[in-house]
Amino acid sequence: GLAVGASRAEIPMFFGSYPITPASNLLHNLSRMKQFGVTTFQAEDEIAAACSAIGASYAGQLGVTSSSGPGVALKTEAIGLAIGVELPLIIVNVQRAGPSTGMPTKTEQSDLYQSVYGRNADSPVVVLAAKSPGDCFDVAIEACRIATQFMTPVYLLSDGYIGNASEPWLIPDVDSYDHFPVKFHTETEGFHPFLRNPETLARAWAKPGTPGLEHRIGGIEKDYNSGHISYSPENHQKMTETRHQKIANVAKSIPDQDVEVGETSGKLAVVGWGSTFGAINQAVGRCVKDGLSVSHIHIRHVWPFPANLEELLSKFDRIIVPEMNNGQMVNVLRAKFLVDAESITQITGQPFKVSTLEREIRSRVEG
């Protein structure tokens, strides 16, 4: 999916990584894909891996890095740099049980806070979550599209359950996927590196070394009108608000949230994200078959949320959110939409059982 996404953007892909369970398979597999324009680099540590990917993006390639929660924690300063210099960067996080080194071979969904909020300062990024092994392909392409069109880092969340799982998957016709070619800035007159697209607010992407477009970027705040270093209070307010609005604008380019099973309103909505998809889908399907008023909503675009999500959730009497963490998505939904969502947590390092979720659903609807 990452290789196809880069090909749809019509730029090479650079993958800088450092081995960690359960994310190492990405490095193993991508290292065998040189013929598809993929360069792989095993760095000496996670920080170097992320910074090498940022350097590749600065040079005009699509920088990608991967890790699990502990490694992503080390990458966060570099990710903040990518936010500040506004370069495309994809961070694949194959989540595992924590904290610290935790349980490397056990699955968890506990890096949602880290992904949405886990950086210093006001540092908004895009967060996507794959629901199954096959879904990783499409989500990776979507990550490439958003990263290049909006000049932003994008988190792609998987977890140990997905990373170690498999499913029947019909190999798609790659030619059926739309191209979203990168348009590098070439106009020299009036150029500075933080010129912006008025619709997306993405900054200009100029390849270093292009005659007349010589420039430098860095982690110190820039002047909105020139790209030069600026310590102006008013300018920092404007740049912070602009970076926030740029990520908010992503919601205009993603599909509306749909309902996987059930009606678009009713007594109970079961809201999931990531690898809980299979168990929720089966549990809700069984209850719907028995005539219960319950629906399954599964969120792929974790941040920003789809534009219609608040309205969709408002059409249900109750909302439950099963997660393999101590209640992270439920708190994000409560904070964003002020909905009275209930949390169902499981932090055992194992995926939910269908029977567990079916019992939770029936206890809230049948009574």
Side-chain angles (χ1 to χ4, degrees):
L2 291 168
V4 171
S7 75
R8 301 302 90 173
E10 301 180 7
I11 55 175
M13 185 185 107
F14 176 92
F15 184 77
S17 188
Y18 181 80
I20 185 171
T21 302
S24 299
N25 283 341
L26 267 172
L27 181 58
H28 299 165
N29 285 282
L30 285 170
S31 66
R32 298 194 291 265
M33 297 178 67
K34 294 179 182 178
Q35 70 273 31
F36 299 111
V38 176
T39 300
T40 53
F41 170 61
Q42 180 175 323
E44 66 268 26
D45 55 47
E46 289 87 353
I47 298 170
C51 289
S52 67
I54 294 169
S57 287
Y58 179 55
Q61 299 195 18
L62 177 57
V64 185
T65 191
S66 71
S67 195
S68 187
V72 174
L74 292 167
K75 296 176 190 286
T76 51
E77 185 178 4
I79 295 167
L81 173 62
I83 294 168
V85 296
E86 299 186 52
L87 282 169
L89 174 70
I90 296 174
I91 309 105
V92 181
N93 182 350
V94 189
Q95 301 164 94
R96 70 189 201 187
S100 186
T101 45
M103 297 192 291
T105 61
K106 303 301 179 183
T107 196
E108 207 163 86
Q109 290 181 294
S110 54
D111 295 343
L112 182 66
Y113 285 164
Q114 181 189 52
S115 304
V116 176
Y117 304 124
R119 292 158 300 282
N120 62 294
D122 289 300
S123 306
V125 295
V126 176
V127 183
L128 307 177
K131 67 183 181 183
S132 68
D135 190 49
C136 289
F137 182 82
D138 290 304
V139 176
I141 295 173
E142 176 72 340
C144 295
R145 180 190 70 82
I146 293 173
T148 54
Q149 288 188 352
F150 289 85
M151 295 292 282
T152 179
V154 175
Y155 277 85
L156 199 172
L157 299 182
S158 175
D159 60 42
Y161 182 47
I162 292 177
N164 293 314
S166 63
E167 66 175 329
W169 184 61
L170 182 63
I171 297 175
D173 177 8
V174 173
D175 292 335
S176 68
Y177 286 79
D178 291 338
H179 284 248
F180 37 87
V182 168
K183 294 182 174 66
F184 291 107
H185 191 86
T186 57
E187 179 59 48
T188 59
E189 186 174 351
F191 169 75
H192 70 79
F194 286 85
L195 290 172
R196 296 188 183 275
N197 180 309
E199 293 183 7
T200 64
L201 294 181
R203 78 165 181 89
W205 193 3
K207 285 187 180 181
T210 304
L213 300 181
E214 296 85 357
H215 66 282
R216 63 182 180 183
I217 54 177
I220 302 296
E221 185 64 283
K222 299 92 187 156
D223 182 80
Y224 185 92
N225 296 310
S226 69
H228 298 319
I229 288 174
S230 172
Y231 286 92
S232 161
E234 294 79 13
N235 178 76
H236 180 55
Q237 173 108 15
K238 184 172 184 177
M239 287 294 281
T240 300
E241 291 172 349
T242 299
R243 288 187 288 263
H244 169 83
Q245 188 59 50
K246 183 178 74 168
I247 300 306
N249 288 347
V250 173
K252 301 174 185 177
S253 78
I254 63 178
D256 280 349
Q257 181 64 50
D258 59 5
V259 176
E260 301 286 346
V261 178
E263 303 298 326
T264 56
S265 62
K267 290 184 177 180
L268 179 67
V270 185
V271 179
W273 66 279
S275 69
T276 56
F277 177 83
I280 296 174
N281 201 258
Q282 287 295 310
V284 172
R286 292 179 186 182
C287 293
V288 168
K289 190 175 180 181
D290 289 344
L292 299 183
S293 177
V294 58
S295 301
H296 175 198
I297 297 170
H298 213 77
I299 300 173
R300 167 185 280 183
H301 294 86
V302 171
W303 198 265
F305 288 125
N308 71 320
L309 182 58
E310 181 176 16
E311 180 184 1
L312 180 61
L313 294 177
S314 71
K315 296 179 180 178
F316 292 89
D317 297 337
R318 298 181 72 176
I319 299 167
I320 60 173
V321 185
E323 299 180 81
M324 293 185 293
N325 57 47
N326 204 31
Q328 296 190 14
M329 175 61 84
V330 72
N331 284 334
V332 175
L333 291 172
R334 286 171 176 168
K336 182 66 176 175
F337 301 132
L338 300 179
V339 294
D340 186 19
E342 305 172 53
S343 186
I344 298 174
T345 64
Q346 180 171 296
I347 323 161
T348 61
Q350 301 292 328
F352 278 103
K353 291 182 178 179
V354 176
S355 58
T356 300
L357 295 179
E358 186 177 355
R359 183 171 61 251
E360 294 284 355
I361 292 168
R362 291 184 183 277
S363 70
R364 288 164 171 80
V365 178
E366 289 183 330

